[in-house]
Amino acid sequence: TLSSSSAASDVYKRQTLDAALTALAAARRTLDGEVMAQAALTLLRATRVEIWACGASFAAARHLEQALIGLCRGVAARDDGAMQAMAAATLEGDSVALCLSRGGADRDVMEAARLATASGATVIAITRPRSPLAAAAQMLIACEAQDGTAPGNPTGVLQLAFAEALASTVALLAPPSATARATRLAEARRGRRIQG
């Protein structure tokens, strides 16, 4: 029974990875490079970048925070709804709210996005098209995996992949002043690592 359990586990892992790879291949074909570049330039021009998510989407939000903190100004990722709302209320026209949600209907993120829009900020969403969050955003990076019978949730993999694609696009389009900040940040990070 132990060997049959191990074999079943191997099949499950392969199916999960296959589903993720299929979703990534489909996303690669449909990803709008123009929207990605526009979003990256908007982030680079912003004086403040708020990144909001909740639940499982916060892993991608945290990844974006770490990737953008040296390239963009005023970067902060938040997963607490009350803090998102307070941050949204203080945004201005030169700020960006980057909202991540797998389903596009998370109440806290939606409410913060509405407040950000009312404050004059630009809202960029990485979420499912035809969702409330997608409708509330000025820019949409569509992130949706086809429903299937395979185990796992490919949308989580897609969010991380799209977050990395956005961060890479920001890095490619960054002006010298932003890359100088990123270099200083990398040096600060290296200085905090244990040597040896």
Side-chain angles (χ1 to χ4, degrees):
T1 43
L2 189 56
S3 62
S4 63
S5 173
S6 178
S9 173
D10 286 344
V11 168
Y12 182 82
K13 286 185 279 189
R14 277 197 302 277
Q15 288 177 342
T16 301
L17 288 173
D18 286 347
L21 290 170
T22 299
L24 286 167
R28 184 171 185 246
R29 288 190 298 275
T30 60
L31 183 63
D32 189 333
E34 190 69 32
V35 169
M36 191 69 76
Q38 184 183 2
L41 289 171
T42 301
L43 289 164
L44 284 165
R45 292 181 187 125
T47 57
R48 182 174 166 193
V49 176
E50 287 282 331
I51 306 170
W52 302 327
C54 65
S57 294
F58 193 65
R62 181 64 79 194
H63 177 75
L64 270 168
E65 179 187 45
Q66 293 295 311
L68 297 180
I69 202 164
L71 296 167
C72 300
R73 292 173 284 174
V75 178
R78 305 178 197 276
D79 65 344
D80 177 82
M83 290 302 296
Q84 291 170 0
M86 286 191 286
T90 64
L91 294 179
E92 296 173 342
D94 51 6
S95 302
V96 172
L98 181 52
C99 302
L100 293 89
S101 172
R102 289 185 184 183
D106 296 314
R107 181 177 296 174
D108 288 341
V109 175
M110 272 299 309
E111 181 57 30
R114 286 191 192 104
L115 286 168
T117 299
S119 297
T122 300
V123 175
I124 301 171
I126 300 179
T127 192
R128 184 175 54 83
R130 300 169 307 281
S131 67
L133 181 57
Q138 284 84 35
M139 282 183 237
L140 171 66
I141 298 172
C143 181
E144 181 177 40
Q146 296 299 316
D147 291 333
T149 57
N153 187 344
T155 307
V157 174
L158 285 183
Q159 269 197 330
L160 282 167
F162 282 21
E164 181 58 30
L166 180 57
S168 297
T169 306
V170 169
L172 285 170
L173 298 176
S177 60
T179 53
R181 280 197 309 271
T183 300
R184 291 194 303 270
L185 177 65
E187 288 169 359
R189 284 175 171 159
R190 272 195 298 274
R192 297 197 53 82
R193 292 186 184 133
I194 296 172
Q195 304 298 319

